[in-house]
Amino acid sequence: AQSVTQLGSHVSVSEGALVLLRCNYSSSVPPYLFWYVQYPNQGLQLLLKYTSAATLVKGINGFEAEFKKSETSFHLTKPSAHMSDAAEYFCAARGGSQGNLIFGKGTKLSVKP
Amino acid sequence: DSGVTQTPKHLITATGQRVTLRCSPRSGDLSVYWYQQSLDQGLQFLIQYYNGEERAKGNILERFSAQQFPDLHSELNLSSLELGDSALYFCASSVAGTGNTGELFFGEGSRLTVL
């Protein structure tokens, strides 16, 4: 069964610093991987997705993620954090024939001025 | 705006009661998914419907049921409510069902508070 692990429930960075949010997946088949962002009192918005094309995926708001099969990882990065990036970020995976997504527990990102 | 509409946005009710949450998917999407988000459990998949038929089941309690109607909107029925059912309930939709490689589009959620 597919599972997703996000390391770190809370990450705090200074404005302008690198953002790195970690995600590892477990699957016996090549997965489809996603990063979503949730702002307070809002639904989930897709940041980016990996569907076995390029291993480096670029998303919205300057975020990108790299799929590393050898490490079963799909970490999310952004070179320079902005105050507006403060939100909760979820990594998700779909494996096999199921249409639903399996989500990690989420990482809450705080950005300090 | 994802195009997925959920009502009501907020709901406060008492233990033992029954509520119905409603979801209208994006135009053209055939699949509807229900998720429960709580602080301790995170985002848990409940159930998926595709073109009116149940397609996949997750951690959905027997007190909960759902259906998808011919116009593709979906309802999630929660009965004999307990304090622990207090959570944010999300609906999501996608074009296809199983084998879909695309993303899910999420509504803004229905926040249920059971007192």
Side-chain angles (χ1 to χ4, degrees), chain A residues 14-83:
Chain A
S14 297
E15 193 173 19
L18 171 72
V19 175
L20 171 60
L21 305 182
R22 300 177 187 274
C23 172
N24 289 90
Y25 67 93
S26 67
S27 174
S28 59
V29 299
Y32 298 107
L33 297 165
F34 306 81
W35 275 100
Y36 282 84
V37 60
Q38 184 180 25
Y39 297 101
N41 301 314
Q42 292 188 26
L44 280 77
Q45 179 185 1
L46 181 73
L47 275 178
L48 49 82
K49 64 180 179 181
Y50 168 76
T51 57
S52 75
T55 56
L56 183 62
V57 181
K58 294 189 183 299
I60 62 171
N61 301 338
F63 285 93
E64 62 181 38
E66 185 172 9
F67 172 71
K68 291 188 176 180
K69 186 177 179 181
S70 61
E71 298 177 8
T72 60
S73 69
F74 190 57
H75 301 332
L76 182 71
T77 60
K78 182 173 180 178
S80 176
H82 192 272
M83 296 296 290

Side-chain angles (χ1 to χ4, degrees), chain A residues 32 34 36 38 41-46 49-51 88 90 94 96-105, chain B residues 33 35 37 40-45 48 56 88 90 97-108 111:
Chain A
Y32 298 107
F34 306 81
Y36 282 84
Q38 184 180 25
N41 301 314
Q42 292 188 26
L44 280 77
Q45 179 185 1
L46 181 73
K49 64 180 179 181
Y50 168 76
T51 57
E88 189 156 19
F90 292 91
R94 172 184 294 120
S97 61
Q98 293 298 320
N100 62 291
L101 300 186
I102 306 299
F103 284 87
K105 293 285 190 185
Chain B
Y33 309 75
Y35 284 83
Q37 185 179 36
D40 53 342
Q41 296 293 325
L43 270 161
Q44 295 287 313
F45 168 66
Q48 176 199 357
L88 193 52
F90 283 110
T98 57
N100 176 28
T101 61
E103 67 269 33
L104 303 188
F105 296 88
F106 282 80
E108 296 203 345
R111 183 171 294 281

Side-chain angles (χ1 to χ4, degrees), chain B residues 2-6 9 14 17 20 28 37 47 52 54 65 71-72 77 95 102 105 111-112 114:
Chain B
S2 67
V4 178
T5 304
Q6 289 187 248
K9 291 192 185 305
Q17 295 298 304
T20 297
Q37 185 179 36
I47 197 164
E54 182 182 305
S65 64
D71 66 352
L72 301 178
N77 301 296
V95 173
F105 296 88
R111 183 171 294 281
L112 173 66
V114 182

